[in-house]
Amino acid sequence: MTSYIRRQILGPMIFFTLGLTGVMLVGQSLRTVDLIVNKGLSLQTLLELTALLIPGALSMILPVSLFCAVMFAFYRLWQDSELIVMAASGISVWKLIRPAVELALVVMLIGLALNVYVTPLGLRSFRNEVAEIRGDLAAVFLQDGEFTEPVQGLTVYVRERSRNGELHGILVYDARRADRAVTMMAERGMLLPEGDGTKILLVNGNRQESELFTGKGSYLSFQRYVLDFGSFGDQADARWLKPGERFLTELLPPYDNPRDEAAATQLMTEAHKRLSAPLYALPLALIAACGLLSGEYSRRGKYLRAALAGVLGLGLRLGELGIAGIVNSTPALAPLFYLMPLAGAIVALYVLRPAVRLPGPVPAGAEAEAVGAS
C-alpha cells in the first residue's frame, strides 16, 4: 500500500517539477534575452546559460511540486473512492501520509545539497559567463547597422559584420578627449582583443581630426590603422559576489572585504534562508494531506478543506519571503526562518491527530443525501 501511494505521488511530482521548472527558466532567461536577440549570441550559448540556472530553480520548485503532487494524488484516491476502501480495510491516516513524509525528507536533503553547493556554483558560473559575454565587444556591442558606444565618448557604426568576424563599412567618432574630436572611416576592419582592452584594425580609410577650441583640422588617408578602444566591460574576477552566488562558508563571518562587512546582515540573512528553505517541504506535504485526509467524508467539506490547504500552503511560502525582509532589518529575528516551517508541521500534525482512522463508509442513503446537498 505504501509503495502504491508513493507511486501516485511521485508521478505527478515529476510532472509538476518539469512544468514549473520550465516556466521559471523562461522567466529567468529573460535576463539574457537582450544578449540572445539583439546581440546575436547562439542558441547553444542560451542553453548553456539556462542549464546553470536549473539548480536554483529546483531548490525553490521541489517543495511546491511535492505539495501539488500530494494534493493531486489524495484527491484522485478520494475521487475514485479508494480512500473509502482503505478505511474499510482499517488503514490509518498515518500510514497513508508516510509516503508523503518520506518524499518530503528526500526533497529536504536534495534541497539542502542544492542550496549549500550546487545552486551558488551554478549562479556564480552564470554571472561570470554573462560578464564575459558583455565584455566581448565583437559578440555584444558591434551590430550590423547600429550606432553603439562601447566606451564613453566613443561611437562606432558597422554596416556589416561577416561570420568570420570581419567588419565592413566602419565609422568611428572618438570624442574621449575634451579638446578634439576624431572621425575615422574605413572600408573594412577586424577586432584585435589584447589583454584587458580591445583594438580595432582599420583598412583602407581616412582619419579626420578637428580641434574644438581653435577650429584647426587635419586629414589623413591610410591603408592600415590601429585604434585602441581601451578597457571596458565588467571583469568577472574583479566584481563583488552577490549573496546568491556565494557558498555557505563565504556567507558567514569573519569577512576580509570591507564591502562584505557593510553587507554582513544581508549575507547572514542569505545563509539562514538557504539553510531553512528545504525545511518547508515537510509542512507543505502535511498541509496538502490535511486538505483531503482530515474531517468527515463530504464532497463539499473536502473541496473547502482542499482550497484552504492551498491557501495555507501558498501563505507559508510567501511567509518565507516576508521573513527575509524582517530579518534584513532586524537580524535578531533570524530564528523565524526555522520556526515558521516547524510551526506549520506541528499544526498540520495536530489537525491530522484526531483522524487515527479514515472516516468509514457512510450508509447509502446518507451518502446520497450528502451528494444531493452538495
Side-chain angles (χ1 to χ4, degrees):
M1 180 59 65
T2 300
S3 60
Y4 172 73
I5 297 176
R6 186 183 298 114
R7 289 194 302 270
Q8 296 295 313
I9 298 175
L10 190 57
M13 181 179 170
I14 294 174
F15 173 80
F16 286 123
T17 299
L18 294 177
L20 293 175
T21 302
V23 172
M24 180 169 287
L25 289 179
V26 168
Q28 290 189 337
S29 64
L30 293 178
R31 302 178 187 179
T32 57
V33 70
D34 62 318
L35 300 177
I36 303 301
V37 177
N38 300 324
K39 308 305 180 182
L41 297 184
S42 65
L43 178 61
Q44 179 182 354
T45 303
L46 173 62
L47 295 177
E48 291 175 354
L49 291 174
T50 302
L52 296 175
L53 298 175
I54 291 178
L58 284 177
S59 65
M60 293 183 287
I61 285 172
L62 281 174
V64 178
S65 298
L66 177 62
F67 174 82
C68 297
V70 172
M71 287 276 290
F72 179 81
F74 284 127
Y75 175 81
R76 186 164 58 182
L77 292 173
W78 167 67
Q79 194 73 10
D80 294 341
S81 298
E82 293 184 63
L83 290 180
I84 299 300
V85 176
M86 295 175 187
S89 303
I91 299 176
S92 68
V93 169
W94 307 121
K95 191 171 183 179
L96 284 178
I97 66 173
R98 178 181 171 183
V101 172
E102 292 173 349
L103 288 174
L105 295 177
V106 172
V107 169
M108 288 169 60
L109 293 176
I110 294 175
L112 186 62
L114 291 174
N115 287 349
V116 169
Y117 182 76
V118 184
T119 296
L121 177 64
L123 190 55
R124 180 180 298 189
S125 301
F126 171 82
R127 287 180 175 157
N128 284 342
E129 290 289 337
V130 171
E132 183 178 345
I133 290 171
R134 291 187 185 277
D136 185 354
L137 184 65
V140 178
F141 288 107
L142 300 186
Q143 296 299 306
D144 299 351
E146 294 184 6
F147 288 91
T148 56
E149 190 176 6
V151 180
Q152 186 175 3
L154 185 67
T155 304
V156 182
Y157 173 85
V158 176
R159 185 184 71 246
E160 181 184 0
R161 188 181 68 186
S162 60
R163 292 188 175 182
N164 62 1
E166 189 172 84
L167 310 175
H168 300 274
I170 304 170
L171 171 65
V172 179
Y173 179 74
D174 188 354
R176 287 178 289 181
R177 293 184 57 176
D179 59 339
R180 67 184 60 187
V182 178
T183 302
M184 285 170 279
M185 293 181 288
E187 294 181 2
R188 55 192 175 88
M190 180 72 70
L191 288 166
L192 306 172
E194 292 187 4
D196 293 337
T198 299
K199 297 180 180 180
I200 182 171
L201 172 65
L202 303 176
V203 179
N204 295 335
N206 60 76
R207 180 181 186 274
Q208 305 174 51
E209 181 177 328
S210 61
E211 296 183 6
L212 301 180
F213 300 111
T214 64
K216 295 180 180 180
S218 62
Y219 180 88
L220 172 69
S221 296
F222 57 81
Q223 290 185 339
R224 291 178 178 271
Y225 186 93
V226 176
L227 174 65
D228 187 2
F229 281 173
S231 178
F232 62 92
D234 295 331
Q235 299 302 317
D237 56 351
R239 66 184 180 85
W240 185 72
L241 293 176
K242 296 183 179 180
E245 304 173 68
R246 295 171 179 254
F247 299 114
L248 190 61
T249 54
E250 296 171 329
L251 293 171
L252 302 175
Y255 305 116
D256 298 329
N257 190 330
R259 190 170 179 183
D260 291 349
E261 291 284 354
T265 300
Q266 185 181 0
L267 296 177
M268 288 297 297
T269 300
E270 175 67 21
H272 287 297
K273 182 180 177 181
R274 204 176 291 177
L275 290 173
S276 63
L279 301 178
Y280 284 82
L282 181 59
L284 285 174
L286 293 175
I287 290 173
C290 284
L292 291 160
L293 298 182
S294 62
E296 297 296 329
Y297 182 82
S298 167
R299 292 186 180 275
R300 178 180 299 174
K302 291 291 183 183
Y303 289 136
L304 291 176
R305 284 192 294 272
L308 180 59
V311 172
L312 292 176
L314 178 62
L316 190 65
R317 292 301 289 171
L318 294 178
E320 181 186 7
L321 301 178
I323 291 175
I326 294 173
V327 174
N328 267 328
S329 59
T330 311
L333 297 178
L336 288 176
F337 274 119
Y338 308 93
L339 292 177
M340 176 168 281
L342 179 62
I346 292 175
V347 171
L349 289 172
Y350 180 80
V351 172
L352 288 170
R353 180 182 57 83
V356 178
R357 283 175 185 263
L358 285 171
V362 298
E367 182 179 1
E369 182 180 351
V371 173
S374 62

